[in-house]
Amino acid sequence: MSATPLISPANSLNSQQLENIPPLLGASVAELTAWVQQQGQPAYRGKQLHDWIYHKGVRSLADISVFSKQWRAEVAEIPIGRSTIHHRAVAPDGTIKYLLQLADGQIVETVGIPSDKRLTVCVSTQVGCPMACDFCATGKGGYKRNLARHEIVDQVLTVQEDFQQRVSHVVFMGMGEPLLNTENVLAALRSLNQDVGIGQRSLTVSTVGIRDRIRQLAQHHLQITLAVSLHAPNQALREQLIPSARPYPIEDLLAECREYVEITGRRVSFEYILLAGVNDLPEHALELAKRLRGFQSHVNLIPYNPIQEVDYKRPNSDRIQAFVKVLKQQQIAVSVRYSRGLEADAACGQLRASKN
């Protein structure tokens, strides 16, 4: 997890250089300590700065009251890297979906999902998504750019502050493909774990599957959960739903997932969106079970959350339970995960498309 280099002394920077300064959010105690010392400040200021950024939620260095007024004035323009809430939609079940405006004006979605004694945040890793999954609202909106580490960590702090409750779990399941932004995702994972204080086993990274990237992720020996968006039991159907899957056969993807299990000792979760009449038949369940037999894995079935752009439908409860029954009969670990906050445009990309 290589860190972004920190910046030069503030008083030696002109306005043009200030525009190119990487924000401080996402930096570790060691990095922040090194930076304050570059400014001629004592080392203990690094720990103070870390505390104000991650635990007090400061948005400007000018507001850190334990620093001298003179130094605050000198570093006032140094960006911490916080976003602003562009729009906030609250569902009856308590789920809150946010549109966050970044420094360059781009808009990303993040979701706060409360449950008993837990607060989960679903974060985005890109502005838009290049994977073009046929059933996904984000994919219909195109791709703009990767998010930087501070823009990912900021989503978690924003939800934590708005709920006034400590975030317990983070899922990288929002807009974008995390493994196309591996460097910043790894840096954000480190920061969420070590700076924000969320255990690695409470962090989940979801991917459609990018050749060799799961293998590369395994080499970091993290204790996070890997969730692979499979959505089909065979290559032909998978290509229909995920056009970007054409160059990466499902057999190769699953072989890489098996390597991940061997290297990390962590099971893989497979995400499977159930689309009525498309991939939800008992024969699909049986084919999926054959693919995963003997695999240290778990299947999350997700009944489809309809979007306006396509005609896919959610299967009825009988169809869902029939699919579950086949998997259980084949000794496949399975659960059904229903989307939260449907009244708040909860399908990824919907709220951004309607409010941007």
Side-chain angles (χ1 to χ4, degrees):
M1 297 187 184
S2 59
T4 304
L6 284 175
I7 57 180
S8 304
N11 55 16
S12 68
L13 298 171
N14 58 40
S15 59
Q16 185 175 2
Q17 289 173 312
L18 280 168
E19 293 179 3
N20 298 320
I21 291 173
L24 298 177
L25 183 60
S28 64
V29 173
E31 291 174 304
L32 292 173
T33 298
W35 180 69
V36 297
Q37 288 179 302
Q38 288 177 1
Q39 314 299 314
Q41 297 294 312
Y44 70 84
R45 293 290 189 204
K47 180 67 173 65
Q48 290 178 325
L49 180 55
H50 185 273
D51 185 53
W52 278 76
I53 289 175
Y54 293 104
H55 304 300
K56 291 185 168 63
V58 72
R59 290 173 174 266
S60 168
L61 295 184
D63 295 331
I64 301 180
S65 59
V66 294
F67 294 166
S68 70
K69 288 184 178 180
Q70 179 181 342
W71 191 51
R72 276 188 277 166
E74 291 176 2
V75 298
E77 300 302 315
I78 302 297
I80 287 177
R82 298 303 306 273
S83 66
T84 57
I85 297 177
H86 178 72
H87 184 78
R88 184 177 180 275
V90 185
D93 66 3
T95 297
I96 303 180
K97 191 161 193 177
Y98 305 83
L99 294 183
L100 304 182
Q101 186 167 14
L102 308 178
D104 63 355
Q106 294 289 349
I107 301 290
V108 295
E109 294 182 355
T110 193
V111 186
I113 309 167
S115 58
D116 292 342
K117 299 180 181 179
R118 289 174 59 159
L119 176 58
T120 299
V121 180
C122 179
V123 299
S124 296
T125 55
Q126 296 178 310
V127 182
C129 182
M131 302 310 290
C133 296
D134 194 47
F135 50 81
C136 178
T138 300
K140 304 298 180 187
Y143 166 76
K144 300 292 193 302
R145 66 172 176 84
N146 283 336
L147 294 185
R149 68 173 180 180
H150 70 277
E151 293 170 328
I152 299 172
V153 176
D154 166 76
Q155 296 173 61
V156 176
L157 295 187
T158 295
V159 173
Q160 189 163 265
E161 291 162 7
D162 191 54
F163 272 83
Q164 295 188 322
Q165 178 183 342
R166 183 174 175 79
V167 169
S168 60
H169 294 73
V170 179
V171 294
F172 286 63
M173 293 181 178
M175 297 166 55
E177 166 51 61
L179 296 191
L180 287 177
N181 187 17
T182 306
E183 182 178 354
N184 288 313
V185 165
L186 286 170
L189 286 169
R190 183 215 60 78
S191 184
L192 291 172
N193 176 226
Q194 298 181 18
D195 302 315
V196 181
I198 301 171
Q200 284 194 18
R201 294 195 175 200
S202 298
L203 303 171
T204 298
V205 173
S206 177
T207 178
V208 169
I210 309 298
R211 188 181 291 277
D212 295 328
R213 297 295 177 89
I214 292 174
R215 185 176 295 112
Q216 292 171 12
L217 181 63
Q219 299 303 322
H220 291 271
H221 297 277
L222 302 176
Q223 290 296 297
I224 64 169
T225 297
L226 174 66
V228 176
S229 297
L230 206 56
H231 306 322
N234 59 65
Q235 182 66 11
L237 184 52
R238 194 162 195 266
E239 287 182 17
Q240 176 187 326
L241 299 176
I242 310 170
S244 58
R246 287 192 186 100
Y248 192 24
I250 192 170
E251 294 82 4
D252 293 355
L253 170 59
L254 291 177
E256 202 169 325
C257 290
R258 290 179 190 277
E259 284 186 46
Y260 181 89
V261 173
E262 291 172 3
I263 293 170
T264 66
R266 300 280 290 162
R267 77 178 185 182
V268 174
S269 290
F270 289 103
E271 309 287 306
Y272 193 103
I273 288 182
L274 288 168
L275 304 163
V278 177
N279 67 351
D280 67 333
L281 301 176
E283 51 262 42
H284 292 131
L286 186 58
E287 188 177 6
L288 178 63
K290 289 179 180 178
R291 291 264 184 207
L292 301 182
R293 192 167 289 135
F295 204 119
Q296 190 178 343
S297 64
H298 181 271
V299 175
N300 276 319
L301 297 177
I302 309 165
Y304 181 60
N305 187 13
I307 64 173
Q308 295 178 353
E309 293 89 342
V310 291
D311 294 328
Y312 294 118
K313 299 290 191 293
R314 171 186 291 215
N316 61 37
S317 58
D318 289 344
R319 201 76 161 261
I320 295 169
Q321 291 309 311
F323 201 98
V324 170
K325 183 178 179 181
V326 172
L327 291 182
K328 286 186 175 180
Q329 286 174 341
Q330 298 297 316
Q331 308 301 311
I332 302 298
V334 58
S335 57
V336 180
R337 192 180 78 217
Y338 289 92
S339 297
R340 296 281 303 276
L342 296 182
E343 299 83 353
D345 287 322
C348 190
Q350 279 188 322
L351 187 62
R352 179 171 174 265
S354 64
K355 300 294 182 182
N356 200 355

